[in-house]
Amino acid sequence: MPAKSVTIIGGGIGGFAAALALRQRGCDVRVLEQAEAISEVGAGLQISPNGLRVLEALGVGEALRAGACRGTAVSLRDHRAGREVLRLDLNRLPEGQSYHFVHRADLIALLSQAAREAGVQVRLLQKVAAVRPGAPVRIEMANGDSCSADLVIGADGLHSVVRSALNGVVAPFFTGQVAWRAVVPNLCGHPPEARVHMGPGRHVVSYPLRGGEKVNLVAVEERRQWTEEGWSQHDDAANLRTAFAGFGGDVAKLLAAVERPGLWGLFRHPVARHWHGQGVAILGDAAHPTLPFMAQGANMALEDAWALAACLTSGTDMDAALSRYQDLRRERCVKIVEAANGNAWKYHLSNPLVRGVAHMGIGMLGRLAPAKMLGQFDWIYGYDVTKAV
Ligand SMILES: Cc1cc2nc3c(=O)[nH]c(=O)nc-3n(C[C@H](O)[C@H](O)[C@H](O)COP(=O)(O)OP(=O)(O)OC[C@H]3O[C@@H](n4cnc5c(N)ncnc54)[C@H](O)[C@@H]3O)c2cc1C
């Protein structure tokens, strides 16, 4: 095994999944997380069959299923009265595949608990300022302290300092879209399906969480005005309601219950060119931040975590293991990120005539060839990273 002791920067989904996978393979692992607690942050996430396979292999699939809602369909709807335009029946997924909606905090809680129980050390309030690849790798903390490690994994998300150490600073560009997110009580008996409510220049995605008690809302609007990228900005709920005033049916009811929505600017980042350096690797959003339109951010992070742990523990040469990891992952992640980029405009047709025709077209396709509509996601959902290494 090329690395017996591993330091992971970032206690998010990818960080804890990698920690658990490496610990289960006999490594000593510590996680450095900047937050003061692993607490209730974020909103809903979608776990598709490819991500679930990793959770199953890590031994937490059962716990995930217990706390999540199993999705039965994806329903595309017109924004005014909520008329359904297209329905993808998730019960038609191939045998053994299922799709789940989960609160990000619940997924982190179950991964971090399993990691701790397996013997991973978790250190909170540890903000890393910079990483210098080498043998050993030098880690500089924001408080001025420093330490070293044989292998450092950057699972430090969107604004990764480890990605910058390997790739320099690459400026992302604003897509001209912002997204509000909120979790509200399930006031409309929202069934266990993801609903995409499509309007001109904007759409709302809703799905239930926590046994159907809550509903997760993500509302995307096209606009010129730039908004910061990140998970900690909030907005006045009145702005959200004004932007989506033309939406009827259940959406209006759910939006009325929003109190303090998160707001983030949607930016496009290139997938990192270099995923590893001497004694250093990156995974998840640190390597490939994505727009949310394929709901694959968490699933790709889970796949990366498994692949990296498997590569690192299946040979003796660290450089070879890290480059095998990049070879295995980069192309797939580029393809998924590009698919998410390409989806951005699809829900937002502004011209009512074009929108009507497009909706009719996809509705017909959905009725005539339902298996084909769902089959277009086979390359994502059917992939099993646990068998790929
Ligand atoms: C607070 C928060 C809320 C989110 N909410 C949502 C949501 O509602 N819906 C959604 O789809 N996605 C959300 N995401 C993003 C989603 O979790 C990721 O896109 C995806 O799961 C990939 O996971 P990741 O492990 O790569 O990154 P993340 O899950 O983002 O984890 C990165 C972790 O690294 C830590 N970190 C960052 N920089 C440093 C540093 N310098 N030193 C130490 N630690 C550091 C962060 O605190 C975080 O815990 C959220 C992310 C965060 C951080």
Side-chain angles (χ1 to χ4, degrees):
M1 190 184 308
K4 186 92 184 71
S5 117
V6 184
T7 297
I8 296 177
I9 302 174
I13 289 159
F16 277 121
L20 182 56
L22 284 161
R23 182 70 199 130
Q24 288 174 345
R25 289 157 186 265
C27 298
D28 292 329
V29 186
R30 67 174 174 165
V31 174
L32 306 181
E33 166 57 43
Q34 65 183 1
E36 62 181 342
I38 305 294
S39 58
E40 186 86 358
V41 283
L45 293 173
Q46 302 183 36
I47 297 297
S48 49
N50 50 314
L52 186 60
R53 281 187 196 101
V54 175
L55 295 172
E56 299 277 11
L58 291 172
V60 295
E62 198 54 56
L64 182 278
R65 277 193 293 271
C69 282
R70 181 174 175 160
T72 54
V74 177
S75 165
L76 268 55
R77 296 170 169 250
D78 185 73
H79 71 292
R80 279 160 306 201
R83 182 180 57 85
E84 186 168 82
V85 172
L86 174 73
R87 187 172 188 80
L88 294 178
D89 183 357
L90 294 174
N91 295 318
R92 285 172 169 266
L93 282 168
E95 176 83 28
Q97 292 190 17
S98 59
Y99 200 100
H100 297 265
F101 310 126
V102 62
H103 198 296
R104 179 177 183 272
D106 297 346
L107 179 54
I108 300 240
L110 79 87
L111 283 169
S112 64
Q113 190 189 340
R116 281 188 167 111
E117 283 170 8
V120 170
Q121 293 175 49
V122 180
R123 300 201 188 148
L124 301 172
L125 280 174
Q126 302 290 318
K127 185 173 170 68
V128 172
V131 164
R132 316 255 171 242
V137 183
R138 198 174 148 76
I139 303 171
E140 294 169 7
M141 307 303 296
N143 66 6
D145 292 347
S146 65
C147 58
S148 57
D150 293 335
L151 175 62
V152 170
I153 296 175
D156 50 343
L158 206 54
H159 303 296
S160 170
V161 296
V162 189
R163 176 176 64 228
S164 311
L166 297 174
N167 294 275
V169 179
V170 181
F173 79 87
F174 182 50
T175 58
Q177 292 176 317
V178 296
W180 287 266
R181 67 176 201 283
V183 177
V184 297
N186 188 351
L187 302 165
C188 60
H190 198 304
E193 59 190 32
R195 291 182 166 176
V196 184
H197 312 265
M198 306 176 291
R202 65 207 69 216
H203 75 271
V204 176
V205 178
S206 61
Y207 53 81
L209 295 173
R210 293 188 167 150
E213 251 176 59
K214 304 275 184 189
V215 172
N216 186 69
L217 293 172
V218 179
V220 177
E221 182 196 28
E222 287 172 13
R223 65 148 95 141
R224 293 233 176 88
Q225 193 193 343
W226 185 84
T227 303
E228 212 179 306
E229 183 184 34
W231 301 106
S232 52
Q233 292 81 243
H234 287 88
D235 195 22
D236 188 332
N239 294 334
L240 166 63
R241 285 191 272 272
T242 305
F244 290 85
F247 281 56
D250 289 342
V251 177
K253 216 185 279 176
L254 293 167
L255 290 179
V258 175
E259 286 176 2
R260 193 169 169 258
L263 175 67
W264 89 97
L266 299 182
F267 284 70
R268 251 197 225 184
H269 298 250
V271 171
R273 184 175 294 271
H274 306 291
W275 287 36
H276 62 95
Q278 192 174 17
V280 176
I282 48 178
L283 58 73
D285 281 2
H288 44 72
T290 179
L291 293 176
F293 305 123
M294 292 297 288
Q296 283 297 306
N299 296 295
M300 282 191 285
L302 290 168
E303 288 182 358
D304 290 348
W306 182 274
L308 180 55
C311 288
L312 279 169
T313 53
S314 62
T316 52
D317 180 80
M318 192 185 311
D319 282 344
L322 295 180
S323 74
R324 185 165 170 232
Y325 159 66
Q326 170 163 341
D327 288 348
L328 203 74
R329 296 297 306 153
R330 191 170 182 280
E331 200 180 318
R332 173 169 167 83
C333 292
V334 167
K335 207 171 154 196
I336 293 176
V337 169
E338 281 174 357
N341 293 343
N343 258 0
W345 64 272
K346 284 188 186 157
Y347 306 135
H348 291 186
L349 298 174
S350 292
N351 179 317
L353 192 65
V354 176
R355 198 171 64 240
V357 171
H359 287 183
M360 217 157 68
I362 49 180
M364 241 158 67
L365 247 178
R367 281 189 298 278
L368 294 176
K372 201 160 181 198
M373 288 299 281
L374 200 55
Q376 65 184 307
F377 301 110
D378 259 0
W379 66 277
I380 299 182
Y381 303 160
Y383 180 72
D384 186 351
V385 73
T386 68
K387 300 219 168 81
V389 190

